[in-house]
Amino acid sequence: MFRQSIPPYFRILSLLFAFLCSLIFCCTSLTYAAGTKDHPEESLEDLRLKPITTIEGKVGDILRKWYAEGTAAGNVGDYYDNRDRGHSRLKMEDYPQLQKISYSKEEFKQKKHW
């Protein structure tokens, strides 16, 4: 039986898609803490005007093209929450539409950030 070769960019896109989906599903119950006085939420309209990614190269170019065409949803309305005390943070500037969950000092004391 033939084994077709999978292009490398498709593998990268598949991994990126899986990662972003896991962010969405893991963080849906955490949105209560998304906006604080220190970091107010941006409006969805403002987020839609931002690029889907700032990643350089083919993957970034393809994602921006798909977003411009309306065939990629983007990350408007999605939240990121680092649950390992900052051990391995996502490079937020690569995903301008993604919002970060912020915690107050009181929530830190209650360990809601971890």
Side-chain angles (χ1 to χ4, degrees), residues 55-66:
I55 294 173
E56 301 281 328
K58 288 184 180 182
V59 173
D61 293 342
I62 290 169
L63 287 172
R64 284 185 290 278
K65 178 181 178 247
W66 288 345

Side-chain angles (χ1 to χ4, degrees), residues 77-111:
D78 296 343
Y79 292 88
Y80 169 73
D81 188 17
N82 180 281
R83 302 296 283 180
D84 65 1
R85 293 186 174 176
H87 178 267
S88 53
R89 291 190 173 122
L90 179 68
K91 193 174 169 188
M92 294 293 292
E93 55 270 12
D94 286 346
Y95 307 98
Q97 297 175 345
L98 196 59
Q99 294 174 293
K100 184 177 187 299
I101 293 179
S102 300
Y103 294 93
S104 67
K105 288 180 182 180
E106 185 60 34
E107 289 170 323
F108 269 98
K109 287 178 187 175
Q110 297 171 1
K111 297 187 179 187

Side-chain angles (χ1 to χ4, degrees), residues 21-30:
C21 284
S22 67
L23 283 175
I24 293 166
F25 292 117
C26 291
C27 294
T28 53
S29 64
L30 300 172

Side-chain angles (χ1 to χ4, degrees), residues 10-47:
F10 185 77
R11 290 181 187 151
I12 294 169
L13 285 174
S14 297
L15 289 172
L16 182 62
F17 178 75
F19 174 71
L20 292 176
C21 284
S22 67
L23 283 175
I24 293 166
F25 292 117
C26 291
C27 294
T28 53
S29 64
L30 300 172
T31 58
Y32 72 91
T36 66
K37 292 178 184 174
D38 297 334
H39 302 285
E41 281 191 54
E42 292 185 64
S43 72
L44 295 180
E45 293 79 25
D46 289 341
L47 291 171

